[in-house]
Amino acid sequence: MQAIKVRAEAASDFNAIDVVNLSAFQGESEAQLVSDLRKSAGFIPDLSLVAELNGRIVGHVVLSRVPLNSGGKSREILALGPMSVVPSQSHRGIGTELIDAAVARAKPLCYEAIAVAGHPDYYRRFGFKPAADWGVSCNLELPEDALLAMELVDGALAGGGEVEYPDIFRALF
Ligand SMILES: CC(C)(COP(=O)(O)OP(=O)(O)OC[C@H]1O[C@@H](n2cnc3c(N)ncnc32)[C@H](O)[C@@H]1OP(=O)(O)O)[C@@H](O)C(=O)NCCC(=O)NCCS
C-alpha cells in the first residue's frame, strides 16, 4: 500500500473530512459533531488529524478536551472520536495509524489520559482498557463496556470519576 501521511487538519480540509464521515457512518450525526467540536471550548486543532493517501483525505480522528470529575474536583483529559476511514480504504491499517499518531501527539501536550466511547474490541488493541477497571464512567447513555480509557501518565485514572462529555455528543448516544 502507498504510504499514509497523518497530519493535523487545515481549514481547506473541512469539506473532505465531512465526506469521510458521511461515507463511514450512517447519517450525518458524526459529521455534524466534528463541525460542532471545532466551535467548542474543548477543540484542539493539533489533535484533529487527517490521513492522506495519494493526496486524498481517507481518514480522520479528533481528540478533544473533556472534564473528568472525581471527588468534587475536575481536571481535563481527552476524548477520542469521532474517528472514520472511508469504506473503500478500511482494513488497511489507516485507523491504526490515526490512533497511533493521535496518542503520540497527545503525550507531549501533557494530557494524562484518553477516553473513548466505541467498539471495545477495536480499541483494546491500542492499549485502551475498560474504563470501569478504574471506576471511570461517563454522562452518556452507552453500554458499560463501550467506554474505554488509556492512561498517558501512569496512575492518572486511579481516582476514577465521571467523564463529562459536552452536550454535542448526545446526538450520538
Ligand atoms: C473503525 C474504523 C475507523 C477502522 O478503520 P480501519 O482503517 O479499517 O482500521 P484498521 O485497518 O487499522 O484496523 C482494521 C481492524 O479493525 C477491526 N475493526 C474494524 N471495524 C471494527 C468494528 N466496528 N468493531 C470491531 N473491530 C473493528 C477489525 O478487526 C479490523 O481487522 P481486519 O482488517 O483484520 O478485519 C473504520 O472501519 C470506520 O470508519 N468504521 C465506520 C465508522 C466507525 O465505526 N468509527 C469508529 C467509531 S467508534
Side-chain angles (χ1 to χ4, degrees):
M1 190 173 82
Q2 303 280 332
I4 298 291
K5 179 178 172 191
V6 176
R7 59 168 176 80
E9 70 171 28
S12 53
D13 300 322
F14 292 176
N15 285 344
I17 293 169
D18 249 7
V19 171
V20 171
N21 278 291
L22 290 170
S23 68
F25 292 100
Q26 293 183 348
E28 299 178 5
S29 301
E30 287 79 6
Q32 186 60 49
L33 175 54
V34 171
S35 299
D36 292 343
L37 273 170
R38 287 196 190 102
K39 298 175 215 142
S40 73
F43 185 64
I44 309 162
D46 286 344
L47 295 182
S48 184
L49 304 179
V50 294
E52 259 184 6
L53 178 65
N54 297 330
R56 292 195 174 82
I57 292 177
V58 293
H60 176 252
V61 67
V62 55
L63 277 68
S64 56
R65 286 188 295 267
V66 286
L68 174 67
N69 304 318
S70 176
K73 293 184 181 167
S74 184
R75 63 204 163 96
E76 284 184 326
I77 64 166
L78 296 171
L80 187 153
M83 158 158 164
S84 52
V85 172
V86 291
S88 63
Q89 300 296 333
S90 67
H91 302 285
R92 297 182 181 193
I94 296 171
T96 299
E97 291 213 29
L98 278 168
I99 292 187
D100 287 347
V103 171
R105 285 170 185 237
K107 282 182 183 166
L109 297 178
C110 295
Y111 291 102
E112 295 184 3
I114 304 175
V116 60
H119 306 291
D121 292 342
Y122 184 65
Y123 290 102
R124 274 177 215 245
R125 74 189 65 189
F126 305 105
F128 285 90
K129 295 179 191 163
D133 287 2
W134 289 283
V136 171
S137 60
C138 74
N139 61 342
L140 300 176
E141 284 184 27
L142 70 174
E144 185 180 281
D145 70 345
L147 185 70
L148 297 107
M150 173 194 285
E151 289 182 332
L152 300 178
V153 173
D154 279 349
L157 296 175
E162 185 183 69
V163 181
E164 187 184 337
Y165 280 90
D167 284 346
I168 51 176
F169 277 85
R170 289 184 189 276
L172 298 190
F173 297 97

